[in-house]
Each structure stands twice: as C-alpha cells, then as structure tokens.
Amino acid sequence: MTQSFVISGDLLIGADSTGDNKSVRAINPATGANLEPAFAIASEADVARACELAGKAFDTYRATSPEARATFLETIATNIMEIGDALIERASEETGLPAARLQGERARTVGQLRLFAQVVRSGEWLDLRVDPALPDRKPLPRPDLRLRQIPLGPVAVFGASNFPLAFSVAGGDTASALAAGCPVVVKGHLAHPGTGELVGRAIRAAVVACGLPEGTFSLLTGANETGAALVRNPHIKAVGFTGSRGGGLALGAIAAARPEPIPVYAEMSSVNPVFLFPAALAARAEAIGTGFVGSLTMGAGQFCTNPGLLFAIDSPDLDRFVATASAALTGSVPAPMLTPGIHAAFDNGVAALAGHEAVKTIARGAPAEGVNRSPGAFFETDVEEFLADERLGHEVFGASGLLVRCKDIDQMIAVAEKLEGQLTATVQVDAGDYTIAAKLLPVLERKVGRILANGWPTGVEVSHAMVHGGPFPATSDSRTTSVGTLAIRRFLRPVSYQDLPEGLLPVELQDEGVKGLPHLMDGVRKGN
Ligand code: NAP
C-alpha cells in the first residue's frame, strides 16, 4: 500500500498546514537546478504557535500508556514506508545521494522507530526504584522512596543536512524524544525540505490515527532566526542538534542565556582518528589502504564518522599503505556534495591544507565532472608540525584525510593526548600489537565515545550498546549518545516520590504496578 502526501511548501503546525511567506526552494546539488515548490519561512508567530501547541500536548502525550506510545512510533514507521518510491526520489533529487543509500537510510529510520517502540514497551527506561520504608530503623526511620523517569517536556529538533531521513524529521532525535514522551517541534534542514515535508506529513497522519493531541508534532522550515526563536521559546525544554560546531555552539549559547536555561544535545565536529599499528601494517597494509579510502570517500565523505586523521609509525609497511591508498583515491570519482555551501566549505578546507607549508599532498581523487563535486584529498605531515598548528586537527567535512607520521609508540600516545574530543577512534591491530595498543586505549577512552578495532568508523549500528557521542567538540554533552536506545535518556529526568499514599503514586510505582516491570527493589534488580 502507498500513501500519497503532497509537497506544498507549507509549515506543519499541529493540524494546520500554513505559510504565507513561501520564498526558498531546494536545490538539486547534482545539477544545480532549483526544485519546486517554494517553502515557507516560519515567522516568530509560527514558532510561538508550534511551541504553544507542544506545551499544551505535553501532559496528555506523556500520560499515554507504553503500548499507545509504542503503537504511535510503529505507525510513523509504517506511514513512512507507505510513501514508497516518492520519498526516495524526492530525497535523491534534493541531496544527490543515490537511491540505494537512501533506501538503506529509510530502513534505518523505520528500524530505529520500531526499536524505540520495543524500548518503550519494555519499561526499562522508566528506571523504577523502590526503597521501602524502614519505620524501625535507628536512629532515624527511613521514608518510603520511589523513583521513576519522566519526560523533560517539548523538544526542539534540528534536522541534519547529511542524513535526510535517519537524522532529520523522523530521525534519531525525534524518535528518542517521542519515545520518552516529549512532543517534538522540528526545524527541518533547508537542504531537503520536500523530503522533510513528506516525512512530517507521515508523522502527522500517525498523530491523527493514534488520537494524540495535534501539538505532539510540528515541522517548521526557516533560517537561523527561526531556530534561535525555537530555542528561546519557554515551552521548549531540550534541544537535539546535528551540524556544525559553530551552529551547535550558537544554539547552546542561546539556550544557556534563557531565563530558564535548557540542555542542548549537539553533535558537532569529529575527525575520527585511526591508529595504524606495525604488525597490522606488516600483515595487511594494502587491505587497510583500500579499506581506508572506501570509508573516506563513502557518501562523498559527508559523515560525522568520516576517518579524517591517521596516525602511524614510520616504516616501509606504512609506505605500502600510502601507495595503495593513493592509488585507490586517484581512481575514485567525486560524487555531488549535499549543498553548495558544504561543497564550498570542503574546497576551502582542502585548499588550506594543500597550501600549508608543513603539509604534503599525497593524492587527489579523479577530476570532478559536474557541479558541487570535488576530488577527495589525502595529505601527510609529521607529529611536530601537527602539534604546532591546531588547525591541522580540525574537521574538513568531506573526503579529506591527513596522515601523521610518528617516530614510535610514545609519540603516537603523546599526540593522541593532544587530540580534541571525538565520536570515534579506530585501531588497526594484530596480535603482535596488543602490548603497545593497550597503552593507547586508556588515552582513547578519555577522548572518544566509541573505540573500534580493525574496521572503519563510518556505519553506525542502531542498537542498545551503541554510543554516538564523545567529549567536546564531538558533542556538547559526553554523557549521552544520539544513536541507539540510550539516546532516550537525554530527554528524561528522575522524580522521587516520598511517602506518597498508594492512590496518589503513578501506576507503575504502585505495589502491583511495579511488579510487572523491571525495577530495583531496595537496590536489588527485579522483574526482568
Ligand atoms: P549547520 O550550518 O550547523 O546547520 C544545521 C542547522 O542549524 C540548520 O538548521 C541551521 O539553520 C541551524 N543553525 C546553524 N547555525 C545557526 C545559528 N547560528 N543560529 C540558529 N540556527 C543555526 O550545519 P549544516 O548546514 O548541516 O552543514 C554545514 C557544516 O556542518 C558542514 O560543512 C560540516 O562542517 C558540519 N556538519 C557536521 C556534521 C556532523 O555530523 N558532525 C553533520 C553535518 C554537517 P540554517 O539552515 O538556517 O543555517
């Protein structure tokens, strides 16, 4: 079955489709052509209305049963699938990404909605705890204490440019916030507004089908001021963001300056260092070389987990790696980048590295044919030069990698100590490397959210044990993740109930209610 939704260019504010000021069009980055229709830019009044509706919806939405909320998430997933090829075609036009990549991303998007439905049903996220009263305890009796997690309130979500489905209107931030019981107001990314509207309409149809209040979901398009007004709005209680360091910091500053500051969970900037160890290079330098270029150039390098920095000890085996990687990159054909702005930023970043006196260009990709494309780039420098200029460690969003040659393991560890926070670190290791690799791992634990061995950081599994986070500037809060089921915790807070009579306790904390759910009874895990 397919559902057809129109792309009207309207804002979706609760049940209303509205927008007078239709002035911006999406661009097909593969051709540079403007796409129809024009999209509305939300005014301050539009932002205020969406947030007010979200505030009104909050108590009703958060009181939904786990089953009702899980069904809502599953209905969104079904509705997105029912849009069918129209969604893939529009997303491909707006992003230049191939249909196969977008089909995979759609599967991931509906998969994570369904996974969060399971999480909601399981009750684990409620983190129920009961410390029964000890009236005879000396010298003082203990009160009856019961704890559960409740949702924070309406959440503002900023869709990412580089995942038009999985990190956009119904992406990970929206799924985790809705699972937690928070209404969501999305500011869609102007790189793919038609894709966003189709998905937004699928969510709105699920709101109606599940009998939820209209303010459970709204979708706005607009410029910087729209996002700023959204973060300032007093109904908004948390923000989920994926994008640039500058954007994340700007929104964080606005949130912190509010009369009531709120958390901003921003995923911003990461160069995802890869450490090539000697025994691994000796055994498979060529395979590591081709694997690296495959990861570097995937999706024109437009992944937050793109491997932008490599560290290795100088050796003939390292030269074999460099030769293979260079040959692979030279043969790689540039794909269109997501937006003219991202393309220009890539060109500037690559030009700065190519023109840096301490950096050597090892290889470039095949010449670009068509607009918004640039060949990938592979550079090298040494540790002293790398440490002398912090800009060499900054993200160049796209297929750009920098190899840093080290003299020995101590130098490799010393340079790792100087890195900024990262989403990931990768080690290429064989058994002969374990002794020296073990010295690096404690440093990496302090720097990153995910450590992986003998793979590549692109490709993030959506699961229970995934962390897609890390210390600043990878994210604004290293205690959280934006991918995987742990992401729900960002939008929850604990409330403790002391000596409340049974009839006034939330159902899941009443004596009978708690028995059917996972909980801690006086510190002992029960119910699962
Ligand atoms: P972006 O410029 O940070 O924009 C992301 C969203 O935040 C957009 O909705 C944008 O609104 C909004 N925004 C940005 N600055 C703002 C401000 N000062 N006040 C209010 N709202 C603001 O990111 P992008 O457009 O996706 O790509 C630009 C760069 O971001 C890339 O070149 C890359 O460096 C980085 N990036 C990183 C990741 C990652 O995963 N780490 C992913 C994508 C992009 P407007 O559209 O109105 O500006």
Side-chain angles (χ1 to χ4, degrees):
M1 199 178 123
T2 56
Q3 287 207 40
S4 55
F5 295 116
V6 290
I7 302 178
S8 62
D10 282 327
L11 312 168
L12 307 182
I13 300 183
D16 289 341
S17 302
T18 173
D20 301 328
N21 174 19
K22 290 186 181 158
S23 54
V24 285
R25 284 178 172 74
I27 294 171
N28 181 336
T31 62
N34 280 325
L35 297 169
E36 293 299 331
F39 286 80
I41 295 292
S43 64
E44 284 217 19
D46 294 324
V47 174
R49 173 91 181 121
C51 294
E52 190 189 336
L53 285 174
K56 271 196 192 142
F58 179 44
D59 274 336
T60 308
Y61 182 58
R62 79 184 181 97
T64 49
S65 68
E67 184 53 38
R69 212 181 295 164
T71 301
F72 172 48
L73 294 170
E74 288 165 346
T75 307
I76 297 172
T78 303
N79 289 356
I80 289 172
M81 288 311 295
E82 287 181 354
I83 304 171
D85 290 345
L87 181 63
I88 302 298
E89 284 157 16
R90 179 74 191 194
S92 190
E93 273 187 318
E94 290 187 333
T95 62
L97 295 170
R101 145 78 197 268
L102 292 164
Q103 281 154 356
E105 203 184 311
R106 180 178 59 184
R108 175 181 161 152
T109 307
V110 299
Q112 71 194 354
L113 285 160
R114 291 178 178 138
L115 186 62
F116 275 111
Q118 283 175 27
V119 167
V120 171
R121 285 196 182 96
S122 81
E124 193 79 53
W125 60 279
L126 285 161
D127 192 15
L128 301 178
R129 292 154 188 245
V130 179
D131 297 339
L134 299 174
D136 300 326
R137 190 180 69 173
K138 300 284 185 255
L140 290 172
R142 181 172 81 177
D144 182 277
L145 282 163
R146 296 173 189 230
L147 177 152
R148 70 167 178 163
Q149 300 282 341
I150 68 160
L152 289 180
V155 171
V157 169
F158 287 75
S161 57
N162 59 341
F163 279 91
L165 298 170
F167 262 87
S168 198
V169 175
D173 286 342
T174 299
S176 51
L178 289 176
C182 302
V184 168
V185 181
V186 174
K187 192 212 161 200
H189 202 289
L190 282 175
H192 50 259
T195 309
E197 185 178 339
L198 288 174
V199 173
R201 288 186 180 277
I203 300 177
R204 183 151 86 178
V207 169
V208 173
C210 295
L212 296 170
E214 58 170 320
T216 304
F217 172 79
S218 290
L219 170 62
L220 305 172
T221 46
N224 274 202
E225 192 37 50
T226 309
L230 185 56
V231 175
R232 267 190 226 110
N233 189 284
H235 290 291
I236 296 297
K237 301 300 180 196
V239 178
F241 169 93
T242 303
S244 64
R245 189 190 299 208
L249 287 176
L251 295 174
I254 292 169
R258 291 172 31 136
E260 179 200 5
I262 54 169
V264 174
Y265 299 108
E267 195 236 289
M268 299 172 284
S269 169
S270 183
V271 277
N272 305 296
V274 180
F275 297 85
L276 309 177
F277 280 85
L281 279 176
R284 48 193 170 85
E286 286 78 13
I288 295 173
T290 46
F292 162 63
V293 172
S295 181
L296 183 80
T297 55
M298 185 188 292
Q302 301 165 114
F303 289 111
C304 38
T305 49
N306 192 57
L309 265 185
L310 296 154
F311 297 96
I313 300 165
D314 211 0
S315 75
D317 294 325
L318 179 59
D319 294 337
R320 281 167 47 222
F321 160 81
V322 168
T324 311
S326 301
L329 185 63
T330 306
S332 78
V333 177
M337 298 193 79
L338 291 160
T339 66
I342 287 176
H343 176 243
F346 175 74
D347 276 353
N348 289 339
V350 166
L353 284 171
H356 196 292
E357 58 183 16
V359 174
K360 180 174 132 199
T361 302
I362 312 178
R364 295 296 309 261
E369 285 179 21
V371 293
N372 296 316
R373 297 154 167 91
S374 290
F378 187 24
F379 300 103
E380 83 166 63
T381 190
D382 63 28
V383 169
E384 285 80 13
E385 300 291 357
F386 180 76
L387 291 177
D389 186 348
E390 67 177 27
R391 290 171 305 172
L392 296 180
H394 286 178
E395 181 183 35
V396 177
F397 192 67
S400 171
L402 174 65
L403 168 67
V404 181
R405 284 189 190 252
C406 306
K407 290 193 185 76
D408 52 30
I409 180 65
D410 291 336
Q411 212 177 37
M412 206 144 96
I413 291 172
V415 75
E417 284 281 9
K418 300 281 184 197
L419 290 176
E420 295 188 303
Q422 308 286 341
L423 293 170
T424 71
T426 302
V427 290
Q428 294 290 342
V429 283
D430 271 13
D433 298 314
Y434 291 174
T435 309
I436 55 173
K439 292 186 191 171
L440 180 66
L441 289 187
V443 180
L444 297 186
E445 279 177 341
R446 280 192 272 110
K447 298 284 176 180
V448 314
R450 176 165 60 112
I451 301 171
L452 58 149
N454 298 334
W456 298 99
T458 41
V460 184
E461 186 70 27
V462 181
S463 68
H464 303 291
M466 175 51 68
V467 173
H468 189 64
F472 181 86
T475 77
S476 55
D477 189 338
S478 64
R479 296 166 296 179
T480 64
T481 175
S482 56
V483 176
T485 58
L486 205 59
I488 194 173
R489 294 215 186 147
R490 299 173 298 168
F491 303 121
L492 296 167
R493 68 178 178 86
V495 176
S496 189
Y497 304 84
Q498 183 169 331
D499 287 334
L500 256 70
E502 179 89 348
L504 287 182
L505 278 169
V507 177
E508 59 266 38
L509 281 175
Q510 293 174 8
D511 287 346
E512 280 311 304
V514 83
K515 278 185 195 154
L517 289 163
H519 62 280
L520 275 186
M521 180 58 72
D522 218 357
V524 178
R525 183 148 294 285
K526 302 265 166 124
N528 53 0

